[in-house]
Amino acid sequence: MPRGPFSGHAAGRGPHVAPPEGARVMEENTSPTTALISSSVAGHDCCGGFGNIDFRQVARWEQRTRKLSRAFGSPHLACYSLGICILLLNILRSHCFTQAMMSQPKMEGLDNHTTYFLGLAFLGWGFVFVLSSFYALGFTGTFLGDYFGILKESRVTTFPFSVLDNPMYWGSTANYLGWALMHASPTGLLLTVLVAIVYVVALLYEEPFTAEIYRQKATRLHKRS
């Protein structure tokens, strides 16, 4: 999936001094991993960036104040704009994930055809759940539309939600797991665990909030009838 979006020396700080060769190698090897960790923790929780932007907090702020909707002229336009930012940052997260794997050694025990095809199966399974989730939810349903007051008639229960709770999150996790296995990367496996933990934490906050939004909607409809 994607994330988190993002020399010379400053005047008065003296001439630039190149770091030792070992320091440059360490920086090159660890910076993609550091970038992914930073973006994963900041993001979606799947929605964050190098600037420590938590887009779910932005969405909750919008839900309380409606300031984004007023600024963009409509809740739909505001939601689309936020969704595009999330998509771009998720693309960058995936790039950082790949760079982190490529900059670290492979695990010999995983570097075989069986593991490769197992990873390919996870990748295919993940894509099915991510794409079918997007189809079932639509753009606004996928990208925090409920925080903007853009609600569906009821919570979606069709495939893939009929076979798995939160298929978008777990499909995304399967994509990362598959990609890590295909590259026999212990770094990729470690970062996949990190991504899964971030998603679990996100769900602890998201699910009660979403349930409450639809409970309030049902209460309003009941009072009108």
Side-chain angles (χ1 to χ4, degrees), residues 8 20 22 50 59 64 72 77 95 122 169 176 184 207 219:
F50 291 124
R64 293 193 305 269
F72 282 92
L77 185 56
H95 172 72
F122 273 111
Y169 283 169
Y176 285 116
E207 290 196 323
T219 300

Side-chain angles (χ1 to χ4, degrees), residues 140-156:
T140 57
T142 300
F143 294 107
L144 309 176
D146 45 359
Y147 292 77
F148 291 80
I150 306 170
L151 303 179
K152 295 184 173 296
E153 292 299 320
S154 61
R155 298 194 69 170
V156 176

Side-chain angles (χ1 to χ4, degrees), residues 32-79:
T33 306
T34 302
L36 178 67
I37 292 174
S38 172
S39 60
S40 294
V41 171
H44 220 50
D45 349 271
C46 61
C47 325
F50 291 124
N52 290 328
I53 300 172
D54 185 342
F55 283 108
R56 194 163 300 284
Q57 293 304 316
V58 173
R60 290 199 176 202
W61 171 74
E62 158 65 13
Q63 194 269 338
R64 293 193 305 269
T65 66
R66 298 303 182 205
K67 288 188 176 181
L68 282 178
S69 294
R70 289 198 292 270
F72 282 92
S74 78
H76 283 81
L77 185 56
C79 182

Side-chain angles (χ1 to χ4, degrees), residues 2 27 36 43 83 86 98 106 110-111 126 154 169 192 200 216:
E27 180 181 357
L36 178 67
I86 292 170
T98 300
K106 292 185 177 183
L110 296 177
D111 195 9
S154 61
Y169 283 169
T192 298
V200 169
Q216 292 177 3

Side-chain angles (χ1 to χ4, degrees), residues 5 14 18 84 94 102 106 145 162 166 224:
I84 290 171
S94 296
M102 297 305 183
K106 292 185 177 183
S162 58
N166 308 297
R224 292 175 185 173

Side-chain angles (χ1 to χ4, degrees), residues 68-148:
L68 282 178
S69 294
R70 289 198 292 270
F72 282 92
S74 78
H76 283 81
L77 185 56
C79 182
Y80 282 124
S81 299
L82 185 65
I84 290 171
C85 289
I86 292 170
L87 275 174
L88 293 175
L89 298 179
N90 282 334
I91 290 171
L92 186 52
R93 180 178 68 171
S94 296
H95 172 72
C96 290
F97 187 98
T98 300
Q99 291 301 308
M101 290 195 304
M102 297 305 183
S103 67
Q104 303 295 327
K106 292 185 177 183
M107 180 183 292
E108 290 187 6
L110 296 177
D111 195 9
N112 55 69
H113 291 300
T114 300
T115 302
Y116 180 87
F117 286 111
L118 179 62
L120 193 62
F122 273 111
L123 194 66
W125 178 81
F127 271 118
V128 167
F129 276 88
V130 168
L131 293 178
S132 59
S133 297
F134 185 85
Y135 179 80
L137 293 173
F139 191 95
T140 57
T142 300
F143 294 107
L144 309 176
D146 45 359
Y147 292 77
F148 291 80

